[in-house]
Amino acid sequence: MKLNKFAAAGLGLLVGIGALTIGTGVAAAAPTFQLPFPCGQTWEGQTRSDHSPANAVDLNRANDDGDAVVAAASGTVSRVENEGSTSYGRWVEINHGSGWTTRYAHLSAQRVSVGQSVSLGQTIGNVGSTGGSTGPHLHFEERQDGAAVKAKFNGTTALYWGSKSYKSNNSCGSGGDDNPYDAEEVCGSGYKVVDSAALSTKGRVYLTYNASNGNNCVVTMKHTKLGTGSTTSAFLEVQGSARTTDSGSFSYYAGPVRKQAADTCVKWGGSADGSTYTSGFEHCG
């Protein structure tokens, strides 16, 4: 299994969406943007006055090349661009309405298309080093009426100027950020999240990949009833082979379910307390 890679070519002019005004010229409130990474992950955010644009945030963590990038809020994909070896490289823009957009740049892969509706926490691409980047990271912007503004994560303004660690609360659900484990830790050394799906507010199922051995791993992380046994499952099916499922009454997570799947399509999913997800065959190489 390798990451899906596609990009829409061309670069058009940004079309600003007019701000909704309330009363006398007061712009509509921004969405409650979240860190653009799966629940529980910790990333180092850097801001600097000579950045272009200055209000953008560069987000890094160790060995982050290929890590999943998720939507900071729900919306509609307005741009999927590829500028080659210059500027943003591969990037995605999401329109959140009322003049608010977000941009995700230097991606290694784009996993959405223009006009597609996306939900908070949905995987939209993967961290890379395309364009004018000098190393893998995510360049992230929150924009109002076409201009980058100071980013907020979960209602709190990012540190300007300097570096700060941020822990993602994106699609954690009630208590999800309190789960003492995360998917990459459960799957083991070398596994990186490449996709995930929400199980309502009950949990989240993660697909990870280990590039060193070609193995996939699926784990379902609970967000509710933490520390108490409740019905939870995770499964992985390599195309042409039988499905393997881990299911039972678990306190924190189901899985890990690991299978060798280099250059082969996989179907994956899981459940938590009655909420389920099943993918199609994807991530084919």
Side-chain angles (χ1 to χ4, degrees):
M1 187 225 81
K2 297 179 181 177
L3 300 178
N4 296 330
K5 295 186 178 180
F6 67 93
L11 176 64
L13 294 174
L14 174 65
V15 179
I17 309 296
L20 174 67
T21 57
I22 303 173
T24 56
V26 179
T32 303
F33 293 118
Q34 300 292 332
L35 200 72
F37 299 106
C39 171
Q41 292 186 355
T42 298
W43 289 74
E44 188 78 7
Q46 181 197 66
T47 58
R48 57 188 189 277
S49 59
D50 63 349
H51 207 170
S52 180
N55 287 326
V57 182
D58 280 348
L59 293 153
N60 272 111
R61 68 172 185 166
N63 303 312
D64 57 6
D65 194 14
D67 279 3
V69 176
V70 306
S74 61
T76 302
V77 178
S78 48
R79 299 184 70 170
V80 178
E81 305 283 1
N82 185 358
E83 299 182 53
S85 60
T86 64
S87 188
Y88 289 170
R90 295 178 182 267
W91 61 282
V92 168
E93 179 183 83
I94 299 175
N95 184 345
H96 306 283
S98 300
W100 290 96
T101 57
T102 49
R103 287 188 175 186
Y104 313 75
H106 303 313
L107 302 174
S108 62
Q110 298 140 296
R111 308 226 0 257
V112 290
S113 56
V114 172
Q116 180 179 341
S117 294
V118 294
S119 57
L120 170 68
Q122 181 174 336
T123 303
I124 61 168
N126 299 89
V127 172
S129 187
T130 58
S133 171
T134 57
H137 71 284
L138 177 69
H139 172 104
F140 176 74
E141 300 173 22
E142 295 174 8
R143 289 181 164 239
Q144 183 181 27
D145 299 332
V149 299
K150 289 186 175 179
K152 291 184 177 182
F153 302 125
N154 199 29
T156 300
T157 302
L159 172 67
Y160 288 85
W161 311 95
S163 297
K164 180 180 176 180
S165 291
Y166 302 93
K167 187 173 183 180
S168 177
N169 197 41
N170 195 319
S171 299
C172 287
S174 177
D177 201 31
D178 297 327
N179 194 317
Y181 305 97
D182 65 47
E184 292 169 349
E185 175 188 6
V186 172
C187 284
S189 177
Y191 285 90
K192 308 295 286 185
V193 172
V194 295
D195 209 344
S196 67
L199 301 172
S200 183
T201 61
K202 308 296 180 58
R204 194 166 193 91
V205 58
Y206 293 88
L207 174 70
T208 72
Y209 181 65
N210 189 324
S212 67
N213 58 24
N215 286 350
N216 281 113
C217 175
V218 176
V219 60
T220 297
M221 307 301 300
K222 292 174 57 176
H223 291 170
T224 58
K225 299 183 180 179
L226 295 174
T228 301
S230 61
T231 303
T232 314
S233 69
F235 78 82
L236 177 59
E237 179 180 346
V238 179
Q239 195 163 31
S241 301
R243 178 179 298 188
T244 299
T245 302
D246 182 39
S247 180
S249 181
F250 300 120
S251 298
Y252 294 99
Y253 58 83
V257 180
R258 303 184 188 90
K259 281 181 174 287
Q260 213 286 332
D263 302 313
T264 308
C265 302
V266 296
K267 181 181 289 188
W268 57 282
S271 66
D273 203 19
S275 181
T276 65
Y277 173 79
T278 300
S279 79
F281 281 110
E282 58 186 12
H283 298 284
C284 300

